[in-house]
Amino acid sequence: MQKAEARPRQHDHFGGAARGRGGERAAGVPLGPMEIPAGLMLEPSLYTVKAIFILDSFGQRLLAKYYDDTFPSMKEQKSFERNVFNKTHKTDSEIAFLEGLTIVYKSSIDLFFYVVGSPHENELMLMSVLTCLFESLNHMLRKNVEKRTLVENMDGVFLVVDEIVDGGVILESDAQQVIQKLNFRVDDSSLSEHSVTQVLQSAKEQIKWSLLK
């Protein structure tokens, strides 16, 4: 009699080898080694942020985008921003933990940039978002990242933020890619004024909606 050849058992992604017709588990068949019990299937992990905001040297909001309901009202958001500013504006650190959240930040002249994530979020990813935001604005504002020029180019600032994060999900962490996606003509020192105007005009309606949120 020919001896049966031993072969490894094969599974599909959902453990189909142990399921009967219609996806139901065959009676008496135990869970396979790579299967996850029903009800415990996890969604794919995504790097996310809870908020991005920019404050001036007095702690006043210049731009803020919140991506979940951690702070559902304007009052709660501004209270949080004030607490963050009070804790960070006199320190040389780049990271803070406040109200159970992880906050990375950077200052430039009379501006403070903040990226907020959950207590479990990767700090390096949050820092990469912050760096991308700052470097993208540095290109757009011709290395003059200060309150006056930022306010004068607020439409462009919203565009940059939306290219980096969408709905809280991190889309881009490379400033050069952000600039290219916005069709800015970048050289070693400056941007094409025409390309900036063209982009801002084409996005005018989008920015109006962003400002109303």
Side-chain angles (χ1 to χ4, degrees):
M1 181 181 294
Q2 184 179 3
K3 186 176 180 181
E5 181 181 357
R7 297 190 182 188
R9 182 180 180 184
Q10 296 183 2
H11 298 267
D12 62 22
H13 181 69
F14 296 102
R19 297 185 186 277
R21 187 180 302 274
E24 297 297 329
R25 177 168 299 280
V29 178
L31 287 172
M34 299 300 292
E35 289 189 67
I36 300 174
L40 294 182
M41 295 293 289
L42 301 178
E43 295 182 358
S45 176
L46 294 173
Y47 290 115
T48 60
V49 302
K50 288 182 172 291
I52 292 176
F53 52 87
I54 304 173
L55 309 179
D56 65 15
S57 57
F58 300 101
Q60 298 300 311
R61 174 194 288 194
L62 299 176
L63 175 148
K65 298 204 74 171
Y66 286 77
Y67 300 103
D68 63 16
D69 58 356
T70 301
F71 302 99
S73 70
M74 181 73 71
K75 181 179 180 180
E76 290 172 297
Q77 292 174 8
K78 290 195 171 183
S79 175
F80 173 67
E81 292 163 18
R82 171 60 63 178
N83 290 340
V84 171
F85 179 76
N86 289 340
K87 182 172 182 178
T88 61
H89 77 286
K90 291 184 178 180
T91 68
D92 295 325
S93 179
E94 296 180 333
I95 185 168
F97 301 94
L98 184 66
E99 299 187 28
L101 300 172
T102 304
I103 305 160
V104 296
Y105 57 97
K106 179 182 181 65
S107 63
S108 174
I109 308 177
D110 54 357
L111 296 173
F112 290 83
F113 300 83
Y114 298 91
V115 176
V116 182
S118 74
H120 308 295
E121 193 54 82
N122 187 308
E123 296 168 12
L124 293 179
M125 283 303 301
L126 296 177
M127 187 60 71
S128 72
V129 172
L130 178 66
T131 300
C132 182
L133 173 62
F134 182 82
E135 291 182 351
S136 299
L137 295 179
N138 193 42
H139 278 294
M140 190 185 77
L141 302 177
R142 301 184 178 186
K143 300 183 179 182
N144 188 22
V145 186
E146 48 113 20
K147 181 178 178 178
R148 181 180 61 81
T149 54
L150 184 129
V151 170
E152 290 174 353
N153 295 275
M154 190 59 74
D155 285 357
V157 178
F158 270 99
L159 282 175
V160 167
V161 172
D162 288 343
E163 282 294 336
I164 299 172
V165 176
D166 181 20
V169 178
I170 299 172
L171 300 180
E172 187 58 71
S173 58
D174 184 337
Q176 192 68 28
Q177 290 296 319
V178 172
I179 297 298
Q180 289 177 359
K181 288 177 182 179
L182 293 176
N183 295 322
F184 290 141
R185 295 181 180 274
V186 183
D187 57 26
D188 291 338
S189 61
S190 65
L191 290 171
S192 164
E193 191 68 32
H194 173 71
S195 63
V196 174
T197 302
Q198 186 178 44
V199 170
L200 295 184
Q201 288 178 343
S202 65
K204 186 175 181 180
E205 292 303 317
Q206 175 187 347
I207 296 304
K208 285 183 178 179
W209 283 108
S210 298
L211 291 172
L212 292 174
K213 291 182 179 179

